[in-house]
């Protein structure tokens, strides 16, 4: 089969592009309305296809939700793996971890994660996603602990701080849209400034 020197997308590439487009639309609607208030008919209409056509890519709404949530966790995993490969202080790595996580979420548009959404999924899917969150949380806590030991940040409860950071980043998916006046990089920079420096005036 002719490949046209890569200038023309293959059938598999076209299928993946359509699938990713569907995920972006579904994630946006799930984030705006919630899983239970969203129908496959509504998602298909927003995409501009029939519900039957949507079944070609996803067998049901549950799988669509899983793929949207997995995309979110993929962003966290990518940020973690990139950070693990870096050198630098714990604070520098912590900053990179959350900066990249925010950038990737803003670009990829995964679904906002809640326990209510995760509990909709089959048990094995639930365990998979929760394990991925625990991996990211453990890494975040480790960096926070190291940053305290290095004297870069004040003594804190690393469990609560990590949950606060992860929850705040997750919430971005509820309010940040592709048409936002701020770019993904700008949101990341502003968000990290708030997370690391807070809002009080330094004396």
């Amino acid at each position: 089969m002719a490949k046209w020197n890569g200038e023309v997308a293959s059938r598999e590439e076209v299928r993946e592009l359509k699938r990713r487009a569907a995920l972006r639309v579904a994630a946006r609607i799930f984030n705006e309305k919630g899983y239970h208030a969203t129908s496959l008919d509504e998602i298909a209409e927003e995409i501009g296809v029939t519900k039957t056509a949507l079944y070609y890519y996803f067998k049901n709404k549950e799988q669509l939700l899983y793929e949207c949530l997995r995309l979110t966790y993929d962003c966290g995993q990518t940020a973690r793996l990139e950070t693990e490969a870096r050198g630098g202080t714990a604070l520098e790595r912590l900053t990179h971890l959350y900066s990249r996580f925010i950038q990737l979420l803003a670009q990829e548009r995964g679904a906002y994660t809640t326990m209510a959404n995760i509990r909709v999924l089959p048990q094995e899917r639930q365990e998979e996603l929760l394990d991925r969150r625990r991996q990211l949380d453990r890494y975040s806590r480790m960096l926070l602990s190291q940053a305290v030991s290095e004297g870069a940040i004040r003594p804190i409860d690393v469990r609560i701080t990590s949950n606060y950071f992860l929850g705040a980043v997750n919430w971005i998916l509820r309010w940040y849209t592709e048409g936002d006046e701020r770019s993904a990089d700008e949101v990341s920079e502003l968000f990290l400034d708030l997370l690391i420096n807070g809002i009080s005036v330094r004396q």
Side-chain angles (χ1 to χ4, degrees), residues 124-139:
E124 64 182 55
R125 297 298 196 194
Q126 293 182 35
E127 292 173 0
E128 172 198 337
L129 295 179
L130 291 174
D131 182 61
R132 295 183 72 181
R133 188 197 187 283
R134 283 190 291 268
Q135 290 178 31
L136 183 60
D137 181 42
R138 283 195 296 267
Y139 187 64

Side-chain angles (χ1 to χ4, degrees), residues 20-21 23-25 27-28 31 68 71-72 74-76 78-79 82 98-111 169 172-173 176-180 182-189:
R20 289 300 296 274
L23 284 176
R24 292 174 74 87
V25 170
R28 176 173 56 78
N31 291 340
C68 289
L71 182 58
T72 298
D74 284 348
C75 292
T78 298
E82 285 184 9
Y98 281 99
S99 176
R100 285 296 290 146
F101 193 14
I102 293 167
Q103 290 169 1
L104 289 166
L105 284 179
Q107 292 164 5
E108 298 297 327
R109 310 305 304 152
V169 172
I172 290 174
L173 292 169
Y176 183 79
T177 64
E178 292 179 277
D180 197 280
R182 298 282 190 178
S183 69
D185 287 348
E186 288 174 326
V187 169
S188 174
E189 183 178 349

Side-chain angles (χ1 to χ4, degrees), residues 4-29:
W4 294 89
N5 291 324
E7 295 297 327
V8 178
S10 67
R11 181 179 301 176
E12 292 77 15
E13 289 171 333
V14 171
R15 185 180 189 281
E16 180 60 19
L17 286 172
K18 290 180 178 179
R19 181 178 168 279
R20 289 300 296 274
L23 284 176
R24 292 174 74 87
V25 170
R28 176 173 56 78
I29 299 176

Side-chain angles (χ1 to χ4, degrees), residues 87-124:
T89 67
L91 182 58
E92 287 170 343
R93 284 177 285 145
L94 183 73
T95 301
H96 181 80
L97 172 70
Y98 281 99
S99 176
R100 285 296 290 146
F101 193 14
I102 293 167
Q103 290 169 1
L104 289 166
L105 284 179
Q107 292 164 5
E108 298 297 327
R109 310 305 304 152
Y112 172 72
T113 63
T114 66
M115 285 306 300
N117 278 349
I118 291 175
R119 294 304 185 200
V120 168
L121 303 173
Q123 187 65 33
E124 64 182 55

